[in-house]
Each structure stands twice: as structure tokens, then as C-alpha cells.
């Protein structure tokens, strides 16, 4: 690196490097560390929930605090762990993948990261306020959150506004970078699928984050300024809140899974040593999923009493999403078919993603059937469904990405034995944790309750054991990352034998500044 003879090119020394940095790798690293810290915090809240549910009766916490834990666990995992982790990967990898020197708007990039710790400090501080933290579920339905919410709800609303602003700035940056800074020869249909999925995700973010801002602002007015948007006594409608929330909330679910599709579409071809099967259809399937995500929001609301025509529309629209999703799963399996597969840790997580995410997809189709959903609604079956999509889905893809790109980030190979140990403990733990919840839900156990009837005891016991196994096995991941940063076997530039793409043409570790001159167009191959 040129830092030796020109101090402008290397990172600043000390704390100022991180406070004022505009370098996409530094900002990506900060996002990733922040999201990992939030993942451990949100996981700790989940372990409080599972400890309470280990056996019937009230064991450890008051019901009100239990509700605060379920709420904060959901909010922190969605807005603090999964989303910032994907933004961190976008910051680190998109410029490397498209041959850009940096992100398009580097100062805004710094700002979009640094407002996050303050937003979460504000949100977590509500737990110590009079009346406690948010206790109304991560979906914060009115009037639970407005008329009956604790006084700290106002701080929660402000935190959500800041998080939304951060997301919108990050999304604008991603779009500007991908559309304006690709290297010569990098056409849209030659971009890696991770870049495509993030481009589509960024448009989703810009479309739905203002809806979230609008609905929390209406809550603020209901609480403090005498309006009655969601108060039936004043002429408002609590169901309006659900429509607005889920019009944000359903595309939000895809914001948390589309980049995962991109990650898995990078890893499977590498370790199968084949080109991705059906690249074009993968791009169109991703765009189709994004479009359909806007017209299915009311499948969360089948029990509110909507007209039959509405129920039918949302039922069929929801089932339609299974088609492009099925295309993706088929293409991943076809890529592995007759490939020269090896099973390093990233590939194990990617294969587990495909299998377990598909289980989540099947239960999603079950939930889409309106008359049956009346039985499943607000039971543990729903909890099992969305956790199968978001834990062995989104979170496993993030772990796969961490192992896949860690040698490129640090310059050293991670400990493969520990990586595999982490995978198997996580895989066993996550299935012990969430699979029994399907049966609990089918038997009628409701969500968000600290106590339950005796017949649910056995499956809850198994689920809690799985939860603690999965939770504590994440400490292995932390150890692997720190060990890898501190040294080990040197990584080559390509790292993985079957890896294709521009990021594998730069040295490992990736220099502080890359592609100050555009890469050779001959290096850019169709995916």
C-alpha cells in the first residue's frame, strides 16, 4: 500500500479513523461489528424469553417485563442486527464487486452509520425508564402502543425515525454507487447477484421507510396532540394502523432476505465450481419478489374482518410469491447438481440456508391459506415460520458471508475446524429451537405469553434447550473472527479455488484503497 510514502492514502491513526472515516471498508467493518454486538444483545433478550418458557408457571420475570423482552428482541434483531449487517456487507463488497474506488456518497455513508448507535442507545435506555420499555410487540399495534403504551413510547418513536433515516441514506448510497460507478465493461447483466439483490433491496427501502416514518408520526400525534388516527372512540380506526404497518412490514421482510439470496448465489457456485444456473432468471425472480412484496401485506391481517374479495386477493397474491422463490431454490439446486462440491464452512451455511429457508417457505404457503390461517394466527406456528425464514435464512446467510469473505478482509484463513463446529452446533440448535414450535402452534399455544398450559411443556423444554445451544454457540463465531484477525495461515488473492469476480483479483487483505484506476475489462466475465 502507498501509505508509507503518502500519508493521505492510509487510514488515520487512533479513534479519528473511525469517527471521520469515509472509506467504504472502514464503514462496512463498523456496521458489521455494530450488528454483531446487537445480535448478541438481541439474543440475550431471547434467552430471557426461553428461560421463562422452559417450564410452565412464572419463573424468572414479570409478565410486563416478558413483553418488553419480546418487543425489544424483535426490534433489535430486525433493525439492529440483520439490516445493518447486510448494509455492512454492501459497503464492504459492492465497490469491490463492481470495480468502484469507493461508495458514491462517502460522507453520507459515515453519517448513516454513526446515527445508529445513538438510536439504539435511546431505544435500549427505555428499559430503565419509569413504566419500562416498549411492551406491545415489535409490530407496535395501536392502541396497545398509543393509548396503553408506557411513557417511554415517545423515545421508541424517535429511535425508529433515526433508524429509518439511516436506512434511506444507506439505500440512496447503494443505488448511486451501483448505477454510476461500475467499472467499464460491467454491464447490469454482468453484475454479481449480490449487487443485483442489493440494488433491488435499496429501492424497497426507499419505498417503505417513509411509510414507517408516517405511521410512527401518527402514533406520536395520537399520544401527544389529541388526534385519533387509531382511536375508534375519536373516529379513528385501529385496523388502519395494521394496514400502514404491514405495507411497510411485508416489503421489510424481503429487505431482510433478498441480500441473503445474493450471498448464497455467490457462495454455491464457488464451492460447486460451476457457474450459477439461470443467472438471468435469478435477476428477474428477485425483481418479481420485490414487486409482489407490495401487494401481499394484508395476509398478516386475515382475522381483522376484511371483505371476502380482499381475503381472496391477498391469499392468491401471497401464494404467487412462491413461484419466483421456487425458481431461486431450483437454480441453487441445479447449480450444485453434478458440481465438484467441497464443503467448507461457507458452503455448509449456504446449503443449510437453502434447505431450512425452504421449510420456512412451505409454512408460509400454509399461512397464506385464509381459512386455515384463522387457526394458525397468533400461535407459535407463526413464530416458527418467520424464525425459519429469518434465522436459518437471513442470519445463516450472514454467517456464510462472514466465513466466505473473512480471508479477503483480514488476509488470513479462519480456523476451519472451529468454523465447522460453529456450523453444526448452530444447525442443531436452531432446529431444536424452532421446529417444535410448529407443533406448539398447531396445538394452539398463543404467542407472546410468559405462562402456558401443561400440555405444551415438553416441546417448550426442547425449544429452550435449543435456544441456549444456538445462543452460546455464537460465541464460537466471535472467537473465530478475533482469532482470524490476529493472524494465521496467509490467504491468497483468490482465497477459494472456484471463486469468480473482481473482489478476488485484489490482494488479501483488500488494500485500504482499491480500483483507483478501473480494473481491466477482460477481468469482467458474465456471472
Amino acid at each position: 500500500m502507498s501509505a508509507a510514502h503518502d500519508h493521505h492514502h492510509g487510514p488515520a491513526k487512533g479513534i479519528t479513523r473511525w469517527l471521520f472515516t469515509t472509506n467504504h471498508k472502514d464503514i462496512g467493518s463498523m456496521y458489521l461489528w455494530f450488528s454483531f454486538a446487537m445480535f448478541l444483545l438481541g439474543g440475550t433478550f431471547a434467552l430471557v424469553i426461553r428461560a421463562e418458557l422452559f417450564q410452565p408457571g412464572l419463573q424468572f420475570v414479570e409478565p410486563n417485563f416478558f413483553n418488553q423482552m419480546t418487543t425489544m428482541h424483535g426490534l433489535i434483531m430486525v433493525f439492529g442486527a440483520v439490516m445493518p449487517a447486510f448494509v455492512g456487507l454492501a459497503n464492504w463488497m459492492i465497490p469491490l464487486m463492481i470495480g468502484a474506488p469507493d461508495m458514491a456518497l462517502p460522507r453520507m455513508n459515515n453519517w448513516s452509520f454513526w446515527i445508529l448507535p445513538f438510536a439504539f442507545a435511546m431505544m435500549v435506555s427505555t428499559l430503565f425508564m419509569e413504566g419500562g420499555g416498549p411492551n406491545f410487540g415489535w409490530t407496535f399495534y395501536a392502541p396497545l402502543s398509543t393509548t396503553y403504551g408506557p411513557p417511554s413510547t415517545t423515545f421508541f418513536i424517535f429511535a425508529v425515525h433515526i433508524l429509518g433515516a439511516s436506512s434511506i441514506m444507506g439505500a440512496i448510497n447503494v443505488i448511486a454507487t451501483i448505477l454510476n460507478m461500475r467499472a467499464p465493461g460491467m454491464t447490469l447483466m454482468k453484475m454479481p447477484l449480490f449487487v443485483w439483490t442489493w440494488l433491488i433491496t435499496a429501492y424497497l427501502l426507499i419505498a417503505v421507510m417513509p411509510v414507517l416514518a408516517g405511521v410512527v408520526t401518527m402514533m406520536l400525534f395520537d399520544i401527544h396532540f389529541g388526534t385519533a388516527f387509531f382511536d375508534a372512540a375519536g373516529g379513528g380506526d385501529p385496523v388502519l394502523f395494521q394496514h400502514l404497518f404491514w405495507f411497510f412490514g411485508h416489503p421489510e421482510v424481503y429487505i431482510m432476505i433478498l441480500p441473503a439470496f445474493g450471498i448464497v448465489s455467490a457462495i454455491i457456485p464457488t464451492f460447486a465450481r460451476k457457474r450459477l444456473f439461470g443467472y438471468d432468471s435469478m435477476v428477474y425472480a428477485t425483481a418479481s419478489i420485490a414487486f409482489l412484496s407490495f401487494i401481499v401485506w394484508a395476509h398478516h391481517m386475515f382475522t381483522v374482518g376484511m371483505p371476502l374479495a380482499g381475503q381472496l386477493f391477498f391469499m392468491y397474491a401471497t401464494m404467487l410469491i412462491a413461484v419466483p422463490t421456487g425458481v431461486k431454490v431450483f437454480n441453487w439446486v441445479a447449480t450444485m447438481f453434478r458440481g465438484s462440491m467441497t464443503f467448507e464452512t461457507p458452503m455448509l451455511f449456504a446449503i443449510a440456508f437453502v434447505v431450512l429457508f425452504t421449510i420456512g417457505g412451505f409454512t408460509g404457503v400454509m399461512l397464506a391459506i385464509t381459512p386455515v390461517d384463522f387457526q394458525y394466527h397468533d400461535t407459535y406456528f407463526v413464530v416458527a415460520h418467520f424464525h425459519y425464514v429469518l434465522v436459518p435464512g437471513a442470519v445463516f446467510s450472514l454467517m456464510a458471508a462472514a466465513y466466505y469473505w473473512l480471508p479477503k478482509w483480514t488476509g488470513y484463513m479462519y480456523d476451519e475446524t472451529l468454523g465447522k463446529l460453529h456450523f453444526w452446533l448452530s444447525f442443531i440448535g436452531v432446529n431444536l429451537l424452532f421446529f417444535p414450535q410448529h407443533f406448539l402452534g398447531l396445538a394452539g399455544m398463543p404467542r407472546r405469553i410468559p405462562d402456558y398450559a401443561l400440555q405444551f411443556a415438553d416441546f417448550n423444554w426442547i425449544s429452550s434447550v435449543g435456544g441456549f445451544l444456538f445462543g452460546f454457540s455464537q460465541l464460537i463465531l466471535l472467537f473465530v473472527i478475533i482469532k482470524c484477525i490476529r493472524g494465521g495461515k496467509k490467504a491468497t488473492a483468490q482465497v477459494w479455488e472456484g471463486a469468480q469476480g473482481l473482489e478476488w483479483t485484489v490482494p488479501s487483505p483488500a488494500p485500504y484503497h482499491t480500483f483507483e484506476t478501473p480494473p481491466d475489462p477482460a477481468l469482467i466475465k458474465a456471472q
Side-chain angles (χ1 to χ4, degrees), residues 191-445:
M191 295 194 311
L193 254 170
F194 179 70
V195 182
W196 256 116
T197 54
W198 242 114
L199 179 64
I200 291 165
T201 301
Y203 278 109
L204 283 180
L205 277 164
I206 289 175
V208 302
M209 278 298 163
V211 180
L212 178 66
V215 77
V216 293
T217 305
M218 291 158 84
M219 283 171 61
L220 192 74
F221 274 62
D222 273 12
I223 293 167
H224 292 291
F225 300 112
T227 56
F229 291 113
F230 309 127
D231 181 5
D237 185 0
V239 177
L240 171 65
F241 178 93
Q242 295 188 34
H243 278 294
L244 291 170
F245 178 84
W246 286 115
F247 190 76
F248 146 79
H250 200 81
E252 163 66 24
V253 175
Y254 289 94
I255 287 163
M256 291 192 284
I257 205 68
L258 291 182
F261 293 164
I263 291 165
V264 170
S265 301
I267 291 173
I268 287 178
T270 296
F271 295 100
R273 291 163 182 75
K274 280 174 63 184
R275 280 180 58 179
L276 181 70
F277 182 89
Y279 170 88
D280 291 22
S281 64
M282 289 291 251
V283 173
Y284 298 134
T286 308
S288 309
I289 291 170
F291 168 72
L292 289 170
S293 75
F294 281 101
I295 59 167
V296 298
W297 76 90
H299 66 207
H300 298 269
M301 303 166 51
F302 282 144
T303 58
V304 302
M306 70 173 88
L308 181 63
Q311 292 182 348
L312 285 169
F313 171 81
F314 286 109
M315 176 168 85
Y316 290 127
T318 304
M319 290 188 172
L320 205 55
I321 283 195
V323 177
T325 310
V327 168
K328 287 187 161 303
V329 173
F330 175 82
N331 286 7
W332 289 322
V333 174
T335 305
M336 290 187 273
F337 183 64
R338 292 192 173 170
S340 305
M341 293 217 292
T342 53
F343 300 98
E344 288 86 350
T345 311
M347 185 62 159
L348 291 174
F349 273 108
I351 294 171
F353 169 94
V354 175
V355 174
L356 299 179
F357 175 79
T358 305
I359 292 174
F362 281 136
T363 56
V365 174
M366 292 169 69
L367 287 162
I369 304 169
T370 310
V372 190
D373 182 79
F374 273 72
Q375 300 298 318
Y376 302 147
H377 187 80
D378 256 347
T379 69
Y380 258 83
F381 190 84
V382 180
V383 178
H385 156 69
F386 72 75
H387 280 90
Y388 258 88
V389 175
L390 287 178
V391 184
V395 173
F396 269 26
S397 79
L398 288 164
M399 291 171 181
Y403 284 108
Y404 185 56
W405 285 311
L406 199 57
K408 179 56 67 184
W409 299 336
T410 62
Y412 300 108
M413 296 304 290
Y414 60 87
D415 187 324
E416 187 68 57
T417 309
L418 282 175
K420 289 199 161 95
L421 176 69
H422 171 233
F423 167 75
W424 284 110
L425 289 176
S426 296
F427 181 81
I428 294 163
V430 89
N431 283 295
L432 274 178
L433 170 55
F434 295 120
F435 204 76
Q437 294 179 3
H438 292 104
F439 305 122
L440 287 169
L442 292 174
M445 179 171 164

Side-chain angles (χ1 to χ4, degrees), residues 91-114:
N91 264 301
W92 241 107
M93 300 314 301
I94 287 175
L96 288 180
M97 288 177 158
I98 63 173
D102 206 306
M103 296 294 277
L105 304 159
R107 288 186 178 166
M108 190 167 84
N109 207 8
N110 173 294
W111 174 228
S112 74
F113 170 76
W114 273 112

Side-chain angles (χ1 to χ4, degrees), residues 471-494:
F472 282 101
S473 59
Q474 302 325 306
L475 298 174
I476 302 173
L477 175 60
L478 181 62
F479 180 76
V480 168
I481 292 168
I482 292 169
K483 186 175 177 214
C484 184
I485 290 168
R486 295 182 65 170
K489 186 180 159 219
K490 285 277 195 194
T492 60
Q494 194 184 5

